[in-house]
Amino acid sequence: MDTTKLSIKQRIALELARQLRQNEKELHVLRQLFWECTLRCNLQCKHCGSDCKHESVTSDMPFGDFLKAIDSITPHVDPHKTMIIFSGGEPLMRKDLEACGAELYRRGFPWGIVSNGLALNEQRLNSLKQAGLRSVTISLDGLEEDHNWLRGNHESFKKASNAIGLIAAEKDLISDVVTCVNHRNISSLDQIANHLLTLGMKNWRLFTIAPMGRARDYPELQISKDEFKTLMTYIEQTRLAKKINCSYSCEGFLGTFEGKVRDHLYQCNAGISTASVLIDGHISGCTSIRSNYYQGNIYQDDFWTVWNTKFDNYRHRNWMKQDRCGCCAMFRYCEGGGMHLRDEHGKLMVCHYEQLQK
């Protein structure tokens, strides 16, 4: 397949998506808010962007502080259409997670968690559901040996698999599994898919990782250009087979694979419909963004004011049109790629479109 030439159909779709995206920027309706509620974690994963540990030097944010930000936005949004996602670290390290979720539920906000699954058993899941839990994402990064290597715990695969089985059985929960595709597990994707299906899980997102955070120290986490093309082809074929709902994450623009490996065309929603409150109160686009693109801080600023008056470098991305992006014909569609792929100086660390070129 020629990975350099978009079809007429793809160009038309991308132009329409571009027009819709411009409108979404102007409206910037907040639909998803991440709360980095802790940096504590019961694992030490090799690809962690937050360098989380069991005992973090940074204290958990008091829920009351985050709730003030929530109360700032509540009069201006439809709470039922604004998802709050607890992230970390490992959210289940917080003993007050149910109390936090119940307060959000009382205000009408659906909420969910992103978890490694190590501490999610049937009892904890039931208590979370009683507090209004709406969605759960669990990470599974390979078959047993590869997953446990990446997560640094010999029980991680077993417990993550158990957690996946539990959430898959809950039909009133929105649930999926995310997998970090790397050099060690890329040849096992079919087996991973079959394992998920055995557990009853049919929603599967895959992503690749940039060399940042701890991931810089593990070259095994990076895949080659050929492997990246293999991954895109695998996702396309798996989607056509319809055995499992497989998709690639919102990492970057994918050229001729656009419209084939996701349920939507590429766009980075950070600062457009997605925001985050980080552990120290900083307001950002999403928790995957580790460079300093903060727009304010809930301890000094009103969240809703920041959301409406800041985020200019998220919503108007012509500043990214430099270096290799400056002469790229695809810039009008990708607008410089995901914000999480930019370093402190605005330099693009990984270009997915470039990886797919001959």
Side-chain angles (χ1 to χ4, degrees), residues 159-219:
K159 292 194 172 182
S161 296
N162 181 66
I164 292 166
L166 288 172
I167 63 172
E170 298 290 343
K171 303 308 178 185
D172 55 342
L173 281 182
I174 300 168
S175 62
D176 68 350
V177 166
V178 293
T179 295
C180 173
V181 179
N182 56 74
H183 184 67
R184 286 178 59 120
N185 69 11
I186 193 168
S187 61
S188 305
L189 295 179
D190 262 339
Q191 295 96 311
I192 299 168
N194 288 333
H195 178 64
L196 294 178
L197 288 169
T198 299
L199 296 171
M201 176 56 67
K202 292 189 175 182
N203 299 316
W204 187 29
R205 279 184 294 137
L206 299 99
F207 70 99
T208 48
I209 193 164
M212 54 186 176
R214 286 186 199 155
R216 283 192 298 261
D217 301 326
Y218 298 94

Side-chain angles (χ1 to χ4, degrees), residues 77-83 105 107-110:
V77 301
D78 180 349
H80 301 289
K81 297 180 180 179
T82 307
M83 173 68 80
Y105 183 73
R107 286 164 167 76
F109 289 94

Side-chain angles (χ1 to χ4, degrees), residues 30-37 63 66-67 69-71 73-74 77-87 91 97 100-114 132-136 273-277 303:
L30 183 64
R31 297 189 180 93
Q32 193 173 55
L33 177 60
F34 287 89
W35 180 34
E36 189 178 55
C37 63
F63 178 62
F66 178 67
L67 200 57
I70 292 298
D71 288 339
I73 73 172
T74 300
V77 301
D78 180 349
H80 301 289
K81 297 180 180 179
T82 307
M83 173 68 80
I84 312 297
I85 301 174
F86 295 71
S87 70
L97 199 61
C100 300
E103 279 299 313
L104 294 176
Y105 183 73
R106 189 172 67 82
R107 286 164 167 76
F109 289 94
W111 64 277
I113 61 172
V114 178
L133 179 70
R134 184 75 178 96
S135 75
V136 183
S273 61
T274 299
S276 65
V277 174
F303 181 93

Side-chain angles (χ1 to χ4, degrees), residues 44-49 148-153 184 209 212-218 220-221:
Q44 280 194 282
C45 304
K46 291 176 173 60
H47 64 322
C48 182
N148 289 346
W149 168 81
L150 185 60
R151 296 284 164 173
N153 185 297
R184 286 178 59 120
I209 193 164
M212 54 186 176
R214 286 186 199 155
R216 283 192 298 261
D217 301 326
Y218 298 94
E220 306 99 311
L221 292 176

Side-chain angles (χ1 to χ4, degrees), residues 42-61:
N42 44 17
L43 294 175
Q44 280 194 282
C45 304
K46 291 176 173 60
H47 64 322
C48 182
S50 305
D51 196 24
C52 298
K53 299 177 175 63
H54 190 276
E55 292 299 330
S56 173
V57 295
T58 305
S59 300
D60 294 355
M61 178 184 287

